[in-house]
Amino acid sequence: MGASVGPCPADHGVCTLNGSAPGNPRALAQAIDALRHGWPIRVDAGDGGPMLTPVETVAVPDIRSDAMLISAARAQTLKLANQRAAALPHAPVLIEGGEPFALDLARAVADPALDMANPMKGPFRALALPDGAWPATALEIARQAGILPAFLVDAVPEEEPVQVATRDLEAFAAPESLRIAARTRLPISVAEQADIAIFRSPADLREHAAITIGRQSADRVPLVRIHSECLTGDVFGSLKCDCGPQLDHALAASAREAEHGGYGIVLYLRQEGRGIGLVNKLRAYQLQEQGYDTVEANQRLGLPDESRDFPIAGRMLSLLGISRIRLLTNNPAKLTALEGQGIEIVERVPLDTGTNPHNARYLATKRDRSGHLL
């Protein structure tokens, strides 16, 4: 999304989209906050977007609606006929039921954890979506809020919605507003000569970090690792993924670079669960316990199996004054994203941390379904 956004001065808080009216990232932040509190939003009100109430977090027990907005992937789980579902699993779908959606029924539709207890949720049918970008925008805002992508449409009783526009979503994603907020020396266990830089944007609630090990030098090409936050793996040593070992390996490899006169950088991106958030990641884990792989679990939640923002790593490197790197990765999406940000990748360095009985299927899914390299 950020590629289509023009310069966004940090002190103005607005972005211009290809000559259109400016978007306001603050409006998007307010919409995310509203969804987390269970308050309704209205997207692109000028184009007729309805009031959308988040199913997961709403706290009005007598709320009712004739229609719901969900993703095509979730609609497939409910056995709804939708011709686009196979090709566009994360496209929005508008549905209605044989009776209005009360809160209990709406949550059964939205939450796959309730599928076993509610095997027959119908009858439902998919409705034609009206013109406009508001349905897809609403699902993306829900993802950024870390909640299930499901809304009651024009629910009763009515509440005053928070207004947000699709262009606000584009402004929120603009990488140009990212800045280094603080930088200082940080001795760590693998290397005493290290520093940390924290990156902040007025358009983003997350703060990303870069650990530089060794002395940065213009005549050396650094080893760089892009690592996305994983609380369960990085902090608690989860065996369900390989994130903790990958982080340890990247820091140790950077320390070895420093020992030989070079330097390494670990970019730590705050995008838990491949961008779906910690709560939804744990929901996906619950589904994996039922036999679904990583991709299938995310789709049953109605969420993308990959929604991380890798281009922001290119912006971070540029702010650090780095344009040529050796990238420690098995993920071709990272190569494409950084090259799109003008970063020259001199070498791809493979990463192998081994397997264990708990993550073997997860690693096979990354290879076979997500295109990760060996």
Side-chain angles (χ1 to χ4, degrees):
M1 288 186 295
S4 65
V5 181
C8 179
D11 56 338
H12 291 172
V14 297
C15 294
T16 300
L17 305 180
N18 298 327
S20 64
N24 182 0
R26 295 190 184 95
L28 198 284
Q30 290 168 349
I32 290 173
D33 184 65
L35 295 187
R36 292 177 69 90
H37 282 88
W39 303 331
I41 63 173
R42 191 187 303 276
V43 182
D44 295 338
D47 295 329
M51 182 176 72
L52 300 171
T53 302
V55 170
E56 178 184 341
T57 53
V58 63
V60 182
D62 60 343
I63 197 166
R64 304 177 76 81
S65 173
D66 290 330
M68 283 183 63
L69 181 70
I70 60 176
S71 75
R74 185 61 186 152
Q76 278 188 301
T77 299
L78 300 174
K79 303 297 188 291
L80 283 172
N82 187 293
Q83 298 92 324
R84 298 178 304 168
L88 298 171
H90 311 301
V93 174
L94 194 63
I95 65 170
E96 69 174 5
E99 59 185 54
F101 293 99
L103 188 54
D104 286 348
L105 176 58
R107 285 183 173 159
V109 169
D111 190 349
L114 304 176
D115 284 348
M116 299 299 290
N118 300 272
M120 298 295 293
K121 302 191 183 79
F124 303 119
R125 67 172 181 143
L127 304 173
L129 276 171
D131 292 335
W134 65 263
T137 299
L139 294 186
E140 174 60 16
I141 297 173
R143 182 195 68 79
Q144 295 205 20
I147 65 171
L148 292 170
F151 293 91
L152 292 166
V153 179
D154 282 335
V156 178
E158 294 183 352
E159 294 186 67
E160 187 65 28
V162 171
Q163 305 285 342
V164 64
T166 294
R167 63 179 178 270
D168 299 331
L169 180 62
E170 297 279 359
F172 192 80
E176 292 83 0
S177 61
L178 193 71
R179 297 288 183 270
I180 296 177
R183 188 171 187 178
T184 187
R185 180 174 174 270
L186 183 71
I188 58 178
S189 60
V190 296
E192 292 188 6
Q193 185 174 316
D195 70 55
I196 184 170
I198 300 299
F199 297 78
R200 176 186 287 168
S201 166
D204 195 343
L205 303 178
R206 302 163 301 179
E207 294 172 333
H208 306 290
I211 298 287
T212 301
I213 297 177
R215 189 177 302 280
Q216 186 170 336
S217 170
D219 60 352
R220 300 300 293 261
V221 178
L223 180 69
V224 173
R225 170 68 184 167
I226 301 173
H227 186 89
S228 295
E229 179 181 36
C230 176
L231 176 70
T232 50
D234 299 343
V235 178
F236 300 123
S238 168
L239 297 176
K240 288 180 67 68
C241 63
D242 58 344
C243 300
Q246 284 186 338
L247 179 59
D248 293 341
H249 179 96
L251 291 171
S254 296
R256 289 193 294 271
E257 291 289 314
E259 290 173 358
H260 293 89
Y263 68 106
I265 299 174
V266 176
L267 303 179
Y268 195 85
L269 307 184
R270 304 293 301 281
Q271 40 192 10
E272 180 78 54
R274 295 190 180 181
I276 66 173
L278 179 59
V279 172
N280 282 328
K281 181 177 86 168
L282 297 187
R283 287 177 173 140
Y285 278 3
Q286 289 177 314
L287 293 171
Q288 289 169 33
E289 292 294 322
Q290 298 175 24
Y292 299 102
D293 67 25
T294 308
V295 173
E296 293 165 342
N298 281 31
Q299 290 184 350
R300 287 187 75 86
L301 287 165
L303 291 162
D305 52 272
E306 175 61 90
S307 53
R308 287 174 290 181
D309 176 10
F310 294 135
I312 199 170
R315 174 64 175 161
M316 293 167 69
L317 290 170
S318 295
L319 289 171
L320 292 172
I322 295 166
S323 59
R324 303 175 73 241
I325 66 171
R326 296 159 53 231
L327 188 62
L328 182 62
T329 189
N330 298 331
N331 189 347
K334 294 179 181 179
L335 303 172
T336 302
L338 290 184
E339 289 169 346
Q341 294 294 309
I343 303 298
E344 180 186 351
I345 299 172
V346 176
E347 178 188 7
R348 181 188 76 87
V349 181
L351 181 62
D352 182 7
T353 57
T355 63
N356 68 65
H358 301 278
N359 69 13
R361 188 184 184 196
Y362 163 80
L363 295 177
T365 300
K366 286 207 296 186
R367 180 193 66 226
D368 298 337
R369 302 196 63 176
S370 301
H372 283 221
L373 307 169
L374 298 177

